[in-house]
Amino acid sequence: MNTINPLTAVKPLDSSTSDSGSRQQFQQQAKPGQTFTATVLGSAGGNKFSLNINGQSILAQSDTVSLSAGSEIKLQVVTTSPLIELKIISDTPQLNFGKTITLLGKNFDIGSLFQSLTSSSPPLLSSLSKSSQEGLQSFNILQQNSLDGKDGGQVLKTLIDRLGISLESLLAKGDNTASTQTLKAALLEIAALLKNAEGIAETANRLLGTLELYQMANLRLDSDNLLIFPLPLPFLDNGYLLFDKKNAQEGGKNKDTQLSFSLHLSLQPLGNIEIHFLQSDEGLYIRFACDSLEKKEFTSQFADDLKKTLTSGDVLGLSFSDTAGDPTGELIQHLVPEGTSMLDTKV
């Protein structure tokens, strides 16, 4: 599968190929999230391509894809400072996940956002509704809590509930109190009220994009009897839990409880980690995967410590491997049909 990373900062061509006044106007008008269609004029050498965007020649660079002259691509503005940064997205509705794939690596650590809202004079946080203020403050405090204690599971559950993955469902049920105190509700208000606040609105929109990706992923994965839960933990570069609903439903019918779920994580310095669990009435099976042989050998040294830590039941099997993939790539495999490209460059 050919995943697409964002194009590097877009730099205008020199004055011989582009009018400087038009370039400045384009840069001033471009906003994060804005989309438009570009035509590839040709290669400029060194992984650089000349693009025609609204009649203007723009120089872009990509180290991951080859663009052929004459092809049309749909682009979305990621950032506008210090230079415009674009990414390639798809026109196919089923593949619209591509427009936020790059955002998945940005975890839900709102520490910097909260600091920006409270450190200004006067604090921008006070311009938000009371419910949004309380929601942000509560979420920020929860993220600082340790998960080591006996209440760690409840803290994590509360964080996931407060994300706002089910915001629209709560609103449909008339549960306005719970919905307005979610992170998504606060981010929507920030993006609307503080759209002129440099950096703050951009961060809010990026986090919103990630939240919406998980919402769309749950819709897509529902047909496969899977649920996905993002893990909003600051120490993770990226992380989510996949839960197999089918096993749980069949276990309930047969009175033989069997749960199947997996953690897909990325964190420093361990890199990518996958932990697959299969829990039955007899005990627990765990398959622990790292992204290299060296890391596998390192983590396997702590197998006995892991068994002693687990208190939910007998560990019937524990294995280690070096087959872990990137969490983003794993999610893409679920969302995009095999053999389908994320980029269509047909003329």
Side-chain angles (χ1 to χ4, degrees):
M1 187 181 307
N2 197 15
T3 57
I4 306 300
N5 294 325
L7 296 180
T8 58
V10 176
K11 302 177 182 179
L13 295 174
D14 56 40
S15 58
S16 64
T17 57
S18 178
D19 178 76
S20 59
S22 297
R23 293 198 311 265
Q24 293 175 1
Q25 182 180 9
F26 175 78
Q27 290 177 322
Q28 291 172 356
Q29 294 178 346
K31 299 181 183 301
Q34 181 182 1
T35 61
F36 43 83
T37 300
T39 302
V40 180
L41 298 178
S43 172
N47 295 326
K48 295 182 176 65
F49 304 90
S50 175
L51 304 177
N52 184 301
I53 302 176
N54 296 333
Q56 304 169 45
S57 295
I58 303 291
L59 186 65
Q61 176 179 331
S62 174
D63 298 324
T64 58
V65 296
S66 297
L67 301 177
S68 56
S71 61
E72 289 190 349
I73 53 177
K74 193 170 183 180
L75 301 172
Q76 184 177 48
V77 179
V78 180
T79 62
T80 58
S81 178
L83 296 173
I84 297 177
E85 184 179 353
L86 306 170
K87 63 181 174 183
I88 302 172
I89 59 177
S90 172
D91 286 324
T92 308
Q94 190 177 14
L95 302 183
N96 272 341
F97 298 102
K99 68 181 181 182
T100 52
I101 288 298
T102 55
L103 302 178
L104 192 59
K106 306 291 185 181
N107 206 29
F108 297 103
D109 182 3
I110 68 165
S112 59
L113 175 63
F114 191 77
Q115 183 178 7
S116 297
L117 289 170
T118 55
S119 60
S120 58
S121 182
L124 291 174
L125 184 67
S126 60
S127 63
L128 302 179
S129 64
K130 184 178 179 181
S131 58
S132 289
Q133 292 182 47
E134 292 175 350
L136 285 170
Q137 290 171 340
S138 174
F139 197 88
N140 186 56
I141 292 173
L142 282 170
Q143 283 200 318
Q144 312 311 315
N145 289 350
S146 172
L147 301 180
D148 295 338
K150 61 180 182 179
D151 297 327
Q154 183 58 47
V155 171
L156 179 57
K157 180 181 182 304
T158 304
L159 274 170
I160 294 174
D161 291 342
R162 290 289 185 88
L163 278 174
I165 297 296
S166 57
L167 173 64
E168 289 76 10
S169 176
L170 290 172
L171 290 173
K173 294 177 182 178
D175 191 347
N176 295 328
T177 301
S179 63
T180 55
Q181 292 186 349
T182 63
L183 177 62
K184 184 175 183 180
L187 292 174
L188 286 169
E189 187 173 352
I190 292 171
L193 295 182
L194 305 178
K195 57 185 177 182
N196 295 323
E198 184 177 355
I200 292 179
E202 180 183 331
T203 300
N205 281 311
R206 185 168 61 243
L207 290 170
L208 278 171
T210 307
L211 274 170
E212 289 169 355
L213 172 63
Y214 278 109
Q215 289 180 303
M216 295 170 70
N218 267 321
L219 292 174
R220 168 65 180 84
L221 296 174
D222 184 64
S223 60
D224 296 328
N225 284 305
L226 293 173
L227 277 174
I228 185 169
F229 297 97
L231 301 176
L233 303 173
F235 60 83
L236 290 177
D237 296 330
N238 185 19
Y240 54 86
L241 180 149
L242 275 179
F243 180 77
D244 190 332
K245 295 188 296 181
K246 183 178 180 181
N247 278 353
Q249 293 166 352
E250 292 180 349
K253 294 178 181 178
N254 300 328
K255 297 183 180 180
D256 294 325
T257 304
Q258 189 176 73
L259 299 177
S260 176
F261 54 97
S262 58
L263 291 170
H264 300 256
L265 313 173
S266 180
L267 70 163
Q268 298 297 329
L270 290 177
N272 300 323
I273 296 174
E274 292 178 15
I275 311 173
H276 297 264
F277 300 85
L278 179 62
Q279 186 175 31
S280 64
D281 292 337
E282 290 76 24
L284 182 66
Y285 293 89
I286 304 174
R287 180 157 52 88
F288 198 103
C290 300
D291 59 13
S292 71
L293 180 60
E294 180 183 11
K295 293 173 184 176
K296 169 207 166 185
E297 293 176 346
F298 172 76
T299 54
S300 63
Q301 299 175 29
F302 302 94
D304 292 337
D305 294 333
L306 178 60
K307 291 180 179 179
K308 293 177 182 177
T309 302
L310 296 173
T311 59
S312 60
D314 295 332
V315 179
L316 303 180
L318 176 60
S319 63
F320 293 83
S321 71
D322 58 355
T323 58
D326 174 66
T328 301
E330 296 292 331
L331 184 57
I332 293 173
Q333 289 182 21
H334 284 290
L335 302 181
V336 183
E338 185 176 357
T340 305
S341 174
M342 295 290 290
L343 173 64
D344 183 4
T345 57
K346 295 179 181 178
V347 177

